[in-house]
Amino acid sequence: MLMAYLLQVPASTDGRKRLLKSFSSYQMFKVTLEFLASNDFSSNPIVMTPDAKFLNEPEFSEESFKSNFDFLFIDPTGRINLASGMSKTILDEIQFEAKLCVKLLNDPEEDNFDALFLKKIDQPLARFDNVFRVALLKSIPTTAKPGSTLDYLTSSNLLRNFVPELLKKALSTKCHLVTSTARPKHNWTVNSTPIQDLPSILYLNLILDPQNSLRVVEHGPQTDIASPEEINEFRDLWGPKAELRRFRDGSIRESVVFDCDDGELNSGSGSIEKRSEIVFRIVTYLLERHIPDFKATNETLGTIVGQFGKFLKEHDTFTSLDILADSSEKDQEVKLKLARSVVLNSDSFQPVMDAFEKFSRELRNLESIPLGIINVVPCSPALCYSSIFPPQPIKLHAEDGDDYMDDDNDPHRPIRLNDIIDVNIELESSSSWPDEITAIEQMKAAFLIRIQKGLETEAKLGAVVFNTPKDAYLDVTSNEGFLFRCRIVNEREAILLKRAIAQPSPSPSLNVKYSAHIRRFSHIPEQVSRIHRLCQRHPHLQLTIRLLKRWVATHLLLSPWNIPEQTVELIAASVYLSSPRNGWSIPANSDTGFLRALKILAEWDWSTPFRVEIDRAARENTESSVSFVESTSQTLTANSGLAVISDLGVTWGGDIASARRLVLLSKSAIRCVESSLEPGNAGSLFRLFSTSLAHFDVRFRLNAKLCPRYAQAIAFDPRVFPIPSKPRSQRTQKFKNIPIRRNVSNEDEDGIAKLRRVLLEGFDPVERFIFQIREAFGNLVGVFVDVCGGVVVGLVFDRDVLGLNSEVGLDWKVGLDVPTIPLLEDSSGKKKKNKVRANIPGLVAEIARLGTGLVESVDIKEEWKGQF
């Protein structure tokens, strides 16, 4: 009928019609969508009468129709409204989707057929920014029109139409779309007991404005311009929350303030995470104000808004121990619950960004080096807002009451890791660099020594140079307590390495060295720069990246050899970059971005590369390297099963076993999140960040006291540490005649103490243990660990390499890279000669020996216990 109307009615006064019979099906479809997206149906209703006017009869006049219906679509007789069952909310949803479709159709560079017709976007939690489950009461809204129940028959139907209109009116600047859906009806067979009528459930779905939804103050009518009716309407809507305020421009307006600081312990006032909950607080307030007897509880109002933030909090170990040591509280369960809930106050990246800017200036201002420093390039996720936890500065000097936490002689004190922040130093160009790779490496080490001396004398910073056979770097501890690891970039070195691998039969080690050099000095800095710009453009992207990394890490898959951080960053960024091209709106909170990333992981066919286009302009720069990208991605996909390619042609991959497991976990995670909205399932989100360990062949359980990142663990338990006898506030010095050394400067620090401090800065025993396992047995086992405070290291045997899939064992030969024992007979009892089998007990025992002091226990899978 709509197309018939467009075929008849002229588009303008010139008499031309919107649709012509000569149009193709595509043209008719596009013009119809454009009409739906742009037409204001409240002021321009659809009237299909011959003269396109309402009848002169009172019952069928324009005023009569508008007083009874939200949307008018009058048939040719002028007496029937074809859209009588369509509310304003449904019309808004249709127009919103039509606008998205028109944008896809007008895209000149992409073929969006799949996004328009083949891609399902019917999952509410991924489609909408906020979804609320509201248990409706049998009550009439206080501001509903008299007799409105007669139009809707039941109070549930009335609320289903009233609440979206109420929220749309209140969130006019914060929200693009408000829709509502009811709980689906249940069916039953004719020979079974009928299902009893379930409580009325209304689902409110909101698509928010990414910028305006974060505003704390909602502006109302200006008192000297607005009419008294507008002011009274605003006050009736907001009630006691409405107040007069004078703003910086001198205007006096009615306004509403929803402070994002809720007064809870360690709440991040003003953070994006807290401001994302403002809309939820507004919805809660309006429902309680306008619906009698409604009280927001977990049973009556459910949502996932703000539920993921707790998984990005690092626990405050020392405060937790103080709570457990406090003797004023007798209830141990209460103390333990409170101790587990205490998190660090700092959840901002601003301190580390400010420290980096200051450190960069100090490097550029050095005068005692032969070549000036022209640039300091960030290479760490912490400097692009994408590390799971913001780096926490380490106290450089002791304070009153902190002697137990800074006592290096106490082996059981909680360990804090000083996170390493990688940066690259670019020097002025010079023709004096040597033409030999080893000589360039030694020159870089000499420059680092000169920079170290300059920082110690000019900037008064502690620094030390490490010159290893594989790498040379400078570790600098800033006055704020952050640890920066500096390396020097030299373009000549990359050119020489590229020439070397181009020679006939280059050594494998040289290829590995060149790949590592390109990754460290080119690919990673470029990705950090791009993610930094994207996080500034999309304020919710950083939380989406951190949530996705946290989820992947919880399932023991986030690591450079399984799934690298850069792969996860690109997948999360694609949610914000490709949403308009996939039929979605840009996410207005991190929860929606996280769920859409899970949907990408669950649906993507990882046998083909996944391309992320951060900058369309970069496409022209990479057209010439398409063949290289395709060959690289095909090789990587064949070997590892996962390839994510940026628009610069850089391929970030992942292990094939990890990729397959990630797909299965994503599907389960989506079902888990969808069930969390139902009453009684609020705690199901914790299952999202917990993983099964049963599939690992061997599990090494580590001593949590020796894990520096244990405070980041979700299952954090402060009782693993020795509980002090008194809290820090009540602790006094044990021996009064032995002064505690405080505020020790770098000049007063003795050599042994300085060497010990330098060697332990940034040292993670768990990371070192994993490195040793991979270095010794990386070709035999897959290693999995939660990099965020995990205390379990899981191993999966490579059954093909170890010969575990063969009943006849392995042929013995010299140089076999597998620990073996003689195989005298096979499973059928037949004697064997020159046959061996993998020595699983010896392999496990050797790995346990590497972790002596760190490994507490070893769990073996049931199928291997017979060999022990």
Side-chain angles (χ1 to χ4, degrees), residues 592-751:
T592 306
F594 173 59
L595 293 176
R596 291 186 191 175
L598 291 180
K599 188 174 176 62
I600 290 176
L601 291 171
E603 296 179 351
W604 187 258
D605 180 12
W606 295 111
S607 61
T608 58
F610 180 71
R611 187 179 181 94
V612 180
E613 192 172 271
I614 298 179
D615 184 6
R616 287 198 174 190
R619 179 189 297 178
E620 300 177 358
N621 299 330
T622 57
E623 288 296 336
S624 59
S625 60
V626 168
S627 58
F628 166 76
V629 172
E630 291 179 350
S631 61
T632 303
S633 61
Q634 288 172 3
T635 303
L636 192 145
T637 303
N639 295 332
S640 55
L642 187 150
V644 178
I645 307 175
S646 71
D647 49 8
L648 293 180
V650 181
T651 303
W652 301 96
D655 176 67
I656 185 171
S658 301
R660 291 172 178 172
R661 180 162 176 77
L662 201 62
V663 171
L664 297 176
L665 289 171
S666 302
K667 295 178 180 178
S668 300
I670 292 174
R671 293 193 296 268
C672 180
V673 176
E674 289 175 345
S675 66
S676 65
L677 272 181
E678 298 302 321
N681 293 341
S684 63
L685 289 181
F686 278 95
R687 299 202 309 269
L688 198 69
F689 291 87
S690 61
T691 190
S692 172
L693 304 175
H695 61 284
F696 291 115
D697 293 318
V698 184
R699 298 176 294 275
F700 294 92
R701 299 193 178 273
L702 311 180
N703 186 349
K705 294 191 291 290
L706 300 179
C707 298
R709 300 185 187 274
Y710 181 64
Q712 300 173 356
I714 292 177
F716 171 76
D717 189 351
R719 294 176 297 180
V720 303
F721 302 105
I723 300 176
S725 57
K726 296 179 181 179
R728 282 175 293 176
S729 59
Q730 303 175 10
R731 195 171 297 120
T732 57
Q733 190 175 335
K734 185 175 181 180
F735 300 104
K736 299 295 183 181
N737 61 335
I738 301 179
I740 298 178
R741 297 176 62 201
R742 304 188 186 281
N743 299 324
V744 180
S745 63
N746 292 324
E747 292 81 1
D748 298 332
E749 191 174 23
D750 59 83

Side-chain angles (χ1 to χ4, degrees), residues 190-355:
V190 294
N191 56 356
S192 63
T193 303
I195 298 176
Q196 298 298 323
D197 188 23
L198 298 175
S200 298
I201 298 294
L202 177 68
Y203 293 95
L204 298 175
N205 312 306
L206 283 69
I207 294 182
L208 306 177
D209 184 283
Q211 299 294 334
N212 292 336
S213 61
L214 302 178
R215 292 192 317 184
V216 177
V217 180
E218 187 69 18
H219 296 259
Q222 192 168 337
T223 55
D224 56 347
I225 298 178
S227 63
E229 291 77 13
E230 292 178 337
I231 295 176
N232 291 333
E233 184 180 1
F234 185 85
R235 291 177 179 175
D236 291 340
L237 176 64
W238 295 104
K241 275 283 186 180
E243 58 183 18
L244 278 176
R245 282 184 170 242
R246 181 187 293 274
F247 295 92
R248 292 182 178 179
D249 59 357
S251 62
I252 300 176
R253 293 177 175 270
E254 295 284 345
S255 58
V256 180
V257 180
F258 282 86
D259 193 357
C260 53
D261 184 5
D262 53 11
E264 295 180 358
L265 182 64
N266 296 334
S267 63
S269 176
S271 64
I272 292 179
E273 178 187 345
K274 284 297 179 182
R275 286 190 288 162
S276 298
E277 302 177 17
I278 290 177
V279 173
F280 170 59
R281 299 177 65 180
I282 292 176
V283 171
T284 303
Y285 172 79
L286 291 174
L287 291 178
E288 291 180 341
R289 169 168 170 76
H290 291 275
I291 300 180
D293 304 327
F294 181 84
K295 183 65 177 177
T297 62
N298 291 333
E299 289 73 24
T300 60
L301 183 61
T303 184
I304 64 170
V305 175
Q307 299 299 313
F308 291 108
K310 54 179 170 286
F311 301 111
L312 297 176
K313 304 292 185 182
E314 184 174 356
H315 297 86
D316 189 345
T317 307
F318 302 108
T319 304
S320 299
L321 292 176
D322 286 343
I323 293 174
L324 295 178
D326 188 4
S327 59
S328 59
E329 176 61 56
K330 302 300 182 182
D331 192 339
Q332 296 298 321
E333 292 296 330
V334 174
K335 287 202 298 185
L336 180 59
K337 184 177 180 180
L338 182 60
R340 285 176 170 174
S341 64
V342 177
V343 296
L344 293 174
N345 285 316
S346 177
D347 193 25
S348 172
F349 287 88
Q350 197 58 45
V352 68
M353 300 299 288
D354 293 341

Side-chain angles (χ1 to χ4, degrees), residues 515-531:
S515 299
H517 184 278
I518 294 299
R519 286 290 195 201
R520 175 174 293 167
F521 295 111
S522 178
H523 296 170
I524 291 180
E526 181 64 30
Q527 170 125 338
V528 169
S529 174
R530 288 178 159 228
I531 295 297

